[in-house]
Amino acid sequence: MNGIILAGGKSSRMGQDKGLMEVDGQPMVRRVIDVLSPLVNKVLIIANDPAYSRFGYPVYPDLIPGKGPAGGIYTGLTHTGTEKNICLSCDLIRINEGLLRFLIRESKDSEITVAKHGQKTEPLIGIYRKKCLSGWKKLLEQDLLKLQDMIEHFEVNKVAITPDMDFYHDHLFDNINAPEDLNKHLWK
C-alpha cells in the first residue's frame, strides 16, 4: 500500500501554499507525512510546487491541471505502483495512525473506502484502489469534480467513525483552509 498526499491546491482562501505553512514549528504536510509513512511502502506527494521535494519523497505535478483534489487523486493513482492507496489532504493536521489503521482494516475489497462521521463523508481521508483510475478519468473528462459525487460512481464503503473509538477526538477531521482556522488553535 502506498500513501498519496494531496498538496497541489491553489490555497486561494489561505493566500499561500498551506501545505508548506508552519503550525507549531513544522509544515502542515510534515504532520501528515509523519502519521502516514509508517503505514505505507511509499509516500507520493501530489503538488505543483517543487518545494515539496525537500521532504524526501517523490513529488508529482497534476497530470490534468485545474481539477482540484479530484485531479490530484487521478495523478496519484496514475503514479502509484500499488492497488490500495491511502489518499489524504495535506492540511489534516490532527489525523492519527489509529484512524488510518482502522480504515485499512475496514477497506476489504471496496474500490473506495472513506471515513464518515455523523452525516459527513470525508473523501480526502480514504483508501482508493488503482482499479478506479479509468473510471475516475472519465468523470474528470466530464468535469465532475465534486468528490462527494465522484465516489458514488464506485463501490464505496463509508466507514462510520464514532466518538467511542479509542483514536477519536473532537478535532480529528479538522482541516485548515483559511487564516482564521489557524487562529482556532485546532492543533492543541
Side-chain angles (χ1 to χ4, degrees):
M1 182 178 295
N2 285 340
I4 299 169
I5 299 175
L6 305 174
K10 294 179 183 175
S11 300
S12 54
R13 289 180 278 178
M14 187 61 78
Q16 60 183 300
D17 191 324
K18 65 183 173 182
L20 297 174
M21 284 183 66
E22 290 195 3
V23 175
D24 276 355
Q26 66 175 294
M28 280 193 249
V29 72
R30 177 86 253 169
R31 293 167 171 269
V32 177
I33 289 169
D34 289 347
V35 171
L36 182 60
S37 60
L39 304 175
V40 296
N41 297 329
K42 182 178 176 182
V43 172
L44 294 80
I45 300 174
I46 310 307
N48 296 310
D49 184 342
Y52 281 92
S53 63
R54 77 182 200 213
F55 298 103
Y57 297 96
V59 177
Y60 299 98
D62 287 322
L63 292 172
I64 307 174
K67 300 293 184 181
I73 291 171
Y74 172 75
T75 300
L77 291 177
T78 299
H79 288 289
T80 188
T82 59
E83 179 59 28
K84 275 188 174 181
N85 303 277
I86 303 174
C87 289
L88 299 172
S89 176
C90 68
D91 63 348
L92 295 164
I93 63 171
R94 294 299 301 266
I95 198 82
N96 64 43
E97 194 174 313
L99 170 62
L100 298 182
R101 286 188 184 282
F102 184 71
L103 285 176
I104 292 166
R105 274 194 313 272
E106 295 297 312
S107 66
K108 300 178 180 48
D109 293 325
S110 300
E111 291 178 312
I112 298 172
T113 299
V114 295
K116 180 179 180 178
H117 57 107
Q119 297 302 312
K120 187 162 171 112
T121 302
E122 299 286 348
L124 291 178
I125 304 173
I127 299 176
Y128 290 74
R129 289 184 173 268
K130 189 169 176 88
K131 70 180 179 181
C132 295
L133 186 60
S134 63
W136 201 262
K137 184 178 183 185
K138 287 177 187 170
L139 295 173
L140 286 175
E141 290 168 347
Q142 296 167 16
D143 246 1
L144 179 62
L145 303 178
K146 187 175 178 190
L147 294 179
Q148 301 284 353
D149 296 337
M150 291 180 81
I151 63 173
E152 297 302 330
H153 290 264
F154 299 90
E155 178 196 337
V156 62
N157 178 14
K158 298 175 185 177
V159 178
I161 308 300
T162 57
D164 62 326
M165 296 176 161
D166 61 351
F167 56 81
Y168 185 88
H169 60 81
D170 289 341
H171 298 289
L172 184 61
F173 298 100
D174 289 350
N175 61 353
I176 306 297
N177 288 313
E180 55 269 18
D181 294 336
L182 287 171
N183 297 331
K184 293 178 186 174
H185 301 285
L186 298 175
W187 55 91
K188 292 187 179 183

